[in-house]
PDB file of all heavy atoms in Angstrom:
ATOM      1  N   VAL A  73      17.554  25.482 -97.726  1.00 97.00           N
ATOM      2  CA  VAL A  73      16.338  25.497 -98.523  1.00 97.00           C
ATOM      3  C   VAL A  73      15.228  25.900 -97.715  1.00 97.00           C
ATOM      4  O   VAL A  73      15.077  25.233 -96.551  1.00 97.00           O
ATOM      5  CB  VAL A  73      16.139  24.225 -99.263  1.00 97.00           C
ATOM      6  CG1 VAL A  73      14.789  24.131-100.028  1.00 97.00           C
ATOM      7  CG2 VAL A  73      17.296  23.940-100.246  1.00 97.00           C
ATOM      8  N   GLY A  74      14.275  26.704 -98.017  1.00 97.00           N
ATOM      9  CA  GLY A  74      13.140  27.042 -97.150  1.00 97.00           C
ATOM     10  C   GLY A  74      12.393  25.914 -96.719  1.00 97.00           C
ATOM     11  O   GLY A  74      12.098  24.983 -97.511  1.00 97.00           O
ATOM     12  N   GLN A  75      11.807  25.959 -95.569  1.00 97.00           N
ATOM     13  CA  GLN A  75      10.922  24.816 -94.982  1.00 97.00           C
ATOM     14  C   GLN A  75       9.697  24.714 -95.718  1.00 97.00           C
ATOM     15  O   GLN A  75       9.210  23.614 -96.022  1.00 97.00           O
ATOM     16  CB  GLN A  75      10.577  25.115 -93.501  1.00 97.00           C
ATOM     17  CG  GLN A  75      10.022  23.934 -92.856  1.00 97.00           C
ATOM     18  CD  GLN A  75       8.417  23.877 -92.938  1.00 97.00           C
ATOM     19  OE1 GLN A  75       7.802  24.954 -92.899  1.00 97.00           O
ATOM     20  NE2 GLN A  75       7.945  22.700 -92.943  1.00 97.00           N
ATOM     21  N   ASN A  76       9.103  25.879 -96.348  1.00 97.00           N
ATOM     22  CA  ASN A  76       7.922  25.713 -97.136  1.00 97.00           C
ATOM     23  C   ASN A  76       8.192  24.974 -98.417  1.00 97.00           C
ATOM     24  O   ASN A  76       7.393  24.273 -98.987  1.00 97.00           O
ATOM     25  CB  ASN A  76       7.394  27.224 -97.463  1.00 97.00           C
ATOM     26  CG  ASN A  76       6.694  27.789 -96.235  1.00 97.00           C
ATOM     27  OD1 ASN A  76       6.292  27.129 -95.313  1.00 97.00           O
ATOM     28  ND2 ASN A  76       6.704  29.032 -96.247  1.00 97.00           N
ATOM     29  N   SER A  77       9.355  25.262 -98.931  1.00 97.00           N
ATOM     30  CA  SER A  77       9.847  24.504-100.225  1.00 97.00           C
ATOM     31  C   SER A  77       9.956  22.997 -99.946  1.00 97.00           C
ATOM     32  O   SER A  77       9.538  22.152-100.720  1.00 97.00           O
ATOM     33  CB  SER A  77      11.122  25.038-100.759  1.00 97.00           C
ATOM     34  OG  SER A  77      10.937  26.356-101.209  1.00 97.00           O
ATOM     35  N   ILE A  78      10.543  22.619 -98.862  1.00 97.00           N
ATOM     36  CA  ILE A  78      10.839  21.249 -98.446  1.00 97.00           C
ATOM     37  C   ILE A  78       9.415  20.658 -98.308  1.00 97.00           C
ATOM     38  O   ILE A  78       9.126  19.539 -98.848  1.00 97.00           O
ATOM     39  CB  ILE A  78      11.519  21.132 -97.053  1.00 97.00           C
ATOM     40  CG1 ILE A  78      12.939  21.706 -97.088  1.00 97.00           C
ATOM     41  CG2 ILE A  78      11.574  19.632 -96.639  1.00 97.00           C
ATOM     42  CD1 ILE A  78      13.843  20.993 -97.971  1.00 97.00           C
ATOM     43  N   ALA A  79       8.439  21.296 -97.739  1.00 97.00           N
ATOM     44  CA  ALA A  79       7.053  20.790 -97.529  1.00 97.00           C
ATOM     45  C   ALA A  79       6.427  20.599 -98.937  1.00 97.00           C
ATOM     46  O   ALA A  79       5.787  19.495 -99.113  1.00 97.00           O
ATOM     47  CB  ALA A  79       6.244  21.692 -96.661  1.00 97.00           C
ATOM     48  N   ARG A  80       6.576  21.525 -99.768  1.00 96.00           N
ATOM     49  CA  ARG A  80       5.975  21.366-101.097  1.00 96.00           C
ATOM     50  C   ARG A  80       6.555  20.199-101.882  1.00 96.00           C
ATOM     51  O   ARG A  80       5.902  19.457-102.564  1.00 96.00           O
ATOM     52  CB  ARG A  80       6.223  22.592-101.935  1.00 96.00           C
ATOM     53  CG  ARG A  80       5.170  23.771-101.641  1.00 96.00           C
ATOM     54  CD  ARG A  80       5.045  24.859-102.692  1.00 96.00           C
ATOM     55  NE  ARG A  80       6.476  25.386-102.921  1.00 96.00           N
ATOM     56  CZ  ARG A  80       7.033  26.407-102.236  1.00 96.00           C
ATOM     57  NH1 ARG A  80       6.342  27.007-101.242  1.00 96.00           N
ATOM     58  NH2 ARG A  80       8.163  26.812-102.538  1.00 96.00           N
ATOM     59  N   TYR A  81       7.928  20.052-101.697  1.00 96.00           N
ATOM     60  CA  TYR A  81       8.545  18.855-102.473  1.00 96.00           C
ATOM     61  C   TYR A  81       8.112  17.555-101.900  1.00 96.00           C
ATOM     62  O   TYR A  81       7.801  16.693-102.620  1.00 96.00           O
ATOM     63  CB  TYR A  81      10.028  18.933-102.273  1.00 96.00           C
ATOM     64  CG  TYR A  81      10.824  20.217-102.789  1.00 96.00           C
ATOM     65  CD1 TYR A  81      11.999  20.619-102.182  1.00 96.00           C
ATOM     66  CD2 TYR A  81      10.202  20.968-103.841  1.00 96.00           C
ATOM     67  CE1 TYR A  81      12.545  21.738-102.573  1.00 96.00           C
ATOM     68  CE2 TYR A  81      10.883  22.108-104.220  1.00 96.00           C
ATOM     69  CZ  TYR A  81      12.015  22.521-103.548  1.00 96.00           C
ATOM     70  OH  TYR A  81      12.655  23.627-104.120  1.00 96.00           O
ATOM     71  N   GLU A  82       7.902  17.499-100.585  1.00 96.00           N
ATOM     72  CA  GLU A  82       7.440  16.234 -99.980  1.00 96.00           C
ATOM     73  C   GLU A  82       5.948  15.980-100.156  1.00 96.00           C
ATOM     74  O   GLU A  82       5.481  14.891-100.071  1.00 96.00           O
ATOM     75  CB  GLU A  82       7.666  16.262 -98.393  1.00 96.00           C
ATOM     76  CG  GLU A  82       9.207  16.217 -98.100  1.00 96.00           C
ATOM     77  CD  GLU A  82       9.518  15.908 -96.661  1.00 96.00           C
ATOM     78  OE1 GLU A  82       8.509  15.723 -95.861  1.00 96.00           O
ATOM     79  OE2 GLU A  82      10.647  15.772 -96.302  1.00 96.00           O
ATOM     80  N   MET A  83       5.184  16.933-100.469  1.00 95.00           N
ATOM     81  CA  MET A  83       3.681  16.867-100.919  1.00 95.00           C
ATOM     82  C   MET A  83       3.580  16.441-102.240  1.00 95.00           C
ATOM     83  O   MET A  83       2.529  16.103-102.772  1.00 95.00           O
ATOM     84  CB  MET A  83       2.967  18.076-100.490  1.00 95.00           C
ATOM     85  CG  MET A  83       2.801  18.245 -99.053  1.00 95.00           C
ATOM     86  SD  MET A  83       1.892  19.724 -98.364  1.00 95.00           S
ATOM     87  CE  MET A  83       1.380  20.540 -99.811  1.00 95.00           C
ATOM     88  N   GLY A  84       4.734  16.534-103.021  1.00 93.00           N
ATOM     89  CA  GLY A  84       4.633  16.165-104.479  1.00 93.00           C
ATOM     90  C   GLY A  84       4.030  17.325-105.309  1.00 93.00           C
ATOM     91  O   GLY A  84       3.777  17.060-106.433  1.00 93.00           O
ATOM     92  N   GLY A  85       3.952  18.497-104.814  1.00 90.00           N
ATOM     93  CA  GLY A  85       3.425  19.637-105.551  1.00 90.00           C
ATOM     94  C   GLY A  85       4.341  20.162-106.599  1.00 90.00           C
ATOM     95  O   GLY A  85       3.937  20.757-107.538  1.00 90.00           O
ATOM     96  N   THR A  86       5.571  20.050-106.345  1.00 91.00           N
ATOM     97  CA  THR A  86       6.703  20.387-107.219  1.00 91.00           C
ATOM     98  C   THR A  86       7.975  19.740-106.926  1.00 91.00           C
ATOM     99  O   THR A  86       8.010  19.035-105.800  1.00 91.00           O
ATOM    100  CB  THR A  86       6.927  22.032-107.048  1.00 91.00           C
ATOM    101  OG1 THR A  86       7.801  22.439-108.027  1.00 91.00           O
ATOM    102  CG2 THR A  86       7.365  22.379-105.696  1.00 91.00           C
ATOM    103  N   THR A  87       8.946  19.803-107.842  1.00 90.00           N
ATOM    104  CA  THR A  87      10.148  19.062-107.586  1.00 90.00           C
ATOM    105  C   THR A  87      11.144  20.160-107.412  1.00 90.00           C
ATOM    106  O   THR A  87      11.109  21.270-108.143  1.00 90.00           O
ATOM    107  CB  THR A  87      10.539  18.133-108.707  1.00 90.00           C
ATOM    108  OG1 THR A  87      10.492  18.819-109.866  1.00 90.00           O
ATOM    109  CG2 THR A  87       9.534  16.965-108.670  1.00 90.00           C
ATOM    110  N   PRO A  88      12.289  19.819-106.749  1.00 93.00           N
ATOM    111  CA  PRO A  88      13.407  20.893-106.604  1.00 93.00           C
ATOM    112  C   PRO A  88      14.165  20.950-107.882  1.00 93.00           C
ATOM    113  O   PRO A  88      14.342  19.964-108.588  1.00 93.00           O
ATOM    114  CB  PRO A  88      14.239  20.319-105.487  1.00 93.00           C
ATOM    115  CG  PRO A  88      13.967  18.797-105.424  1.00 93.00           C
ATOM    116  CD  PRO A  88      12.463  18.735-105.914  1.00 93.00           C
ATOM    117  N   GLY A  89      14.619  22.163-108.194  1.00 92.00           N
ATOM    118  CA  GLY A  89      15.501  22.368-109.277  1.00 92.00           C
ATOM    119  C   GLY A  89      16.782  21.718-108.982  1.00 92.00           C
ATOM    120  O   GLY A  89      17.042  21.372-107.746  1.00 92.00           O
ATOM    121  N   LEU A  90      17.773  21.713-109.840  1.00 91.00           N
ATOM    122  CA  LEU A  90      19.014  21.090-109.636  1.00 91.00           C
ATOM    123  C   LEU A  90      19.814  21.735-108.478  1.00 91.00           C
ATOM    124  O   LEU A  90      20.436  21.015-107.643  1.00 91.00           O
ATOM    125  CB  LEU A  90      19.900  21.147-110.938  1.00 91.00           C
ATOM    126  CG  LEU A  90      21.261  20.338-110.918  1.00 91.00           C
ATOM    127  CD1 LEU A  90      20.948  18.958-110.705  1.00 91.00           C
ATOM    128  CD2 LEU A  90      21.931  20.510-112.245  1.00 91.00           C
ATOM    129  N   ASP A  91      19.781  23.015-108.323  1.00 95.00           N
ATOM    130  CA  ASP A  91      20.534  23.714-107.247  1.00 95.00           C
ATOM    131  C   ASP A  91      20.014  23.351-105.905  1.00 95.00           C
ATOM    132  O   ASP A  91      20.641  23.015-105.091  1.00 95.00           O
ATOM    133  CB  ASP A  91      20.478  25.294-107.474  1.00 95.00           C
ATOM    134  CG  ASP A  91      21.290  26.003-106.424  1.00 95.00           C
ATOM    135  OD1 ASP A  91      22.443  25.595-106.212  1.00 95.00           O
ATOM    136  OD2 ASP A  91      20.800  26.944-105.827  1.00 95.00           O
ATOM    137  N   GLN A  92      18.661  23.303-105.746  1.00 95.00           N
ATOM    138  CA  GLN A  92      17.979  22.967-104.597  1.00 95.00           C
ATOM    139  C   GLN A  92      18.201  21.617-104.280  1.00 95.00           C
ATOM    140  O   GLN A  92      18.407  21.179-103.112  1.00 95.00           O
ATOM    141  CB  GLN A  92      16.432  23.311-104.607  1.00 95.00           C
ATOM    142  CG  GLN A  92      16.141  24.724-104.855  1.00 95.00           C
ATOM    143  CD  GLN A  92      16.579  25.670-103.719  1.00 95.00           C
ATOM    144  OE1 GLN A  92      17.701  25.984-103.604  1.00 95.00           O
ATOM    145  NE2 GLN A  92      15.627  26.087-103.005  1.00 95.00           N
ATOM    146  N   ALA A  93      18.105  20.659-105.312  1.00 94.00           N
ATOM    147  CA  ALA A  93      18.364  19.243-105.070  1.00 94.00           C
ATOM    148  C   ALA A  93      19.675  18.923-104.523  1.00 94.00           C
ATOM    149  O   ALA A  93      19.886  18.073-103.671  1.00 94.00           O
ATOM    150  CB  ALA A  93      17.937  18.448-106.331  1.00 94.00           C
ATOM    151  N   PHE A  94      20.683  19.655-105.158  1.00 95.00           N
ATOM    152  CA  PHE A  94      22.078  19.423-104.650  1.00 95.00           C
ATOM    153  C   PHE A  94      22.242  19.875-103.180  1.00 95.00           C
ATOM    154  O   PHE A  94      22.831  19.161-102.444  1.00 95.00           O
ATOM    155  CB  PHE A  94      23.047  20.280-105.565  1.00 95.00           C
ATOM    156  CG  PHE A  94      24.465  20.062-105.125  1.00 95.00           C
ATOM    157  CD1 PHE A  94      25.154  18.926-105.400  1.00 95.00           C
ATOM    158  CD2 PHE A  94      25.095  21.092-104.459  1.00 95.00           C
ATOM    159  CE1 PHE A  94      26.499  18.781-104.986  1.00 95.00           C
ATOM    160  CE2 PHE A  94      26.373  20.932-103.992  1.00 95.00           C
ATOM    161  CZ  PHE A  94      27.150  19.696-104.252  1.00 95.00           C
ATOM    162  N   LYS A  95      21.637  21.016-102.801  1.00 97.00           N
ATOM    163  CA  LYS A  95      21.685  21.433-101.433  1.00 97.00           C
ATOM    164  C   LYS A  95      21.006  20.333-100.394  1.00 97.00           C
ATOM    165  O   LYS A  95      21.684  20.113 -99.397  1.00 97.00           O
ATOM    166  CB  LYS A  95      21.063  22.804-101.291  1.00 97.00           C
ATOM    167  CG  LYS A  95      21.808  23.951-101.916  1.00 97.00           C
ATOM    168  CD  LYS A  95      20.927  25.260-101.795  1.00 97.00           C
ATOM    169  CE  LYS A  95      21.756  26.431-102.339  1.00 97.00           C
ATOM    170  NZ  LYS A  95      20.887  27.629-102.286  1.00 97.00           N
ATOM    171  N   ILE A  96      19.876  19.946-100.831  1.00 97.00           N
ATOM    172  CA  ILE A  96      19.157  19.002 -99.958  1.00 97.00           C
ATOM    173  C   ILE A  96      20.026  17.754 -99.846  1.00 97.00           C
ATOM    174  O   ILE A  96      20.070  17.131 -98.829  1.00 97.00           O
ATOM    175  CB  ILE A  96      17.737  18.826-100.597  1.00 97.00           C
ATOM    176  CG1 ILE A  96      16.903  20.025-100.409  1.00 97.00           C
ATOM    177  CG2 ILE A  96      17.111  17.496 -99.877  1.00 97.00           C
ATOM    178  CD1 ILE A  96      15.574  19.928-101.196  1.00 97.00           C
ATOM    179  N   ALA A  97      20.410  17.125-101.031  1.00 96.00           N
ATOM    180  CA  ALA A  97      21.184  15.987-101.022  1.00 96.00           C
ATOM    181  C   ALA A  97      22.473  16.049-100.249  1.00 96.00           C
ATOM    182  O   ALA A  97      22.804  15.141 -99.440  1.00 96.00           O
ATOM    183  CB  ALA A  97      21.532  15.512-102.471  1.00 96.00           C
ATOM    184  N   SER A  98      23.137  17.164-100.350  1.00 97.00           N
ATOM    185  CA  SER A  98      24.324  17.395 -99.538  1.00 97.00           C
ATOM    186  C   SER A  98      24.067  17.450 -98.035  1.00 97.00           C
ATOM    187  O   SER A  98      24.805  16.809 -97.305  1.00 97.00           O
ATOM    188  CB  SER A  98      24.998  18.674 -99.984  1.00 97.00           C
ATOM    189  OG  SER A  98      25.470  18.626-101.256  1.00 97.00           O
ATOM    190  N   ALA A  99      23.023  17.992 -97.714  1.00 97.00           N
ATOM    191  CA  ALA A  99      22.670  18.090 -96.284  1.00 97.00           C
ATOM    192  C   ALA A  99      22.294  16.738 -95.794  1.00 97.00           C
ATOM    193  O   ALA A  99      22.581  16.434 -94.593  1.00 97.00           O
ATOM    194  CB  ALA A  99      21.477  19.060 -96.074  1.00 97.00           C
ATOM    195  N   LEU A 100      21.629  15.957 -96.652  1.00 96.00           N
ATOM    196  CA  LEU A 100      21.232  14.577 -96.216  1.00 96.00           C
ATOM    197  C   LEU A 100      22.369  13.673 -96.291  1.00 96.00           C
ATOM    198  O   LEU A 100      22.231  12.436 -95.754  1.00 96.00           O
ATOM    199  CB  LEU A 100      20.122  14.141 -97.109  1.00 96.00           C
ATOM    200  CG  LEU A 100      18.671  14.787 -96.781  1.00 96.00           C
ATOM    201  CD1 LEU A 100      17.699  14.430 -97.882  1.00 96.00           C
ATOM    202  CD2 LEU A 100      18.232  14.488 -95.344  1.00 96.00           C
ATOM    203  N   GLY A 101      23.422  14.005 -97.029  1.00 95.00           N
ATOM    204  CA  GLY A 101      24.521  13.038 -97.138  1.00 95.00           C
ATOM    205  C   GLY A 101      24.270  11.857 -98.113  1.00 95.00           C
ATOM    206  O   GLY A 101      24.760  10.727 -97.989  1.00 95.00           O
TER     207      GLY A 101
END
Side-chain angles (χ1 to χ4, degrees):
V73 174
Q75 193 272 328
N76 288 337
S77 294
I78 300 290
R80 280 194 306 274
Y81 303 151
E82 288 192 2
M83 289 180 1
T86 186
T87 56
L90 187 56
D91 185 51
Q92 300 294 73
F94 181 77
K95 289 177 181 179
I96 292 168
S98 293
L100 290 170

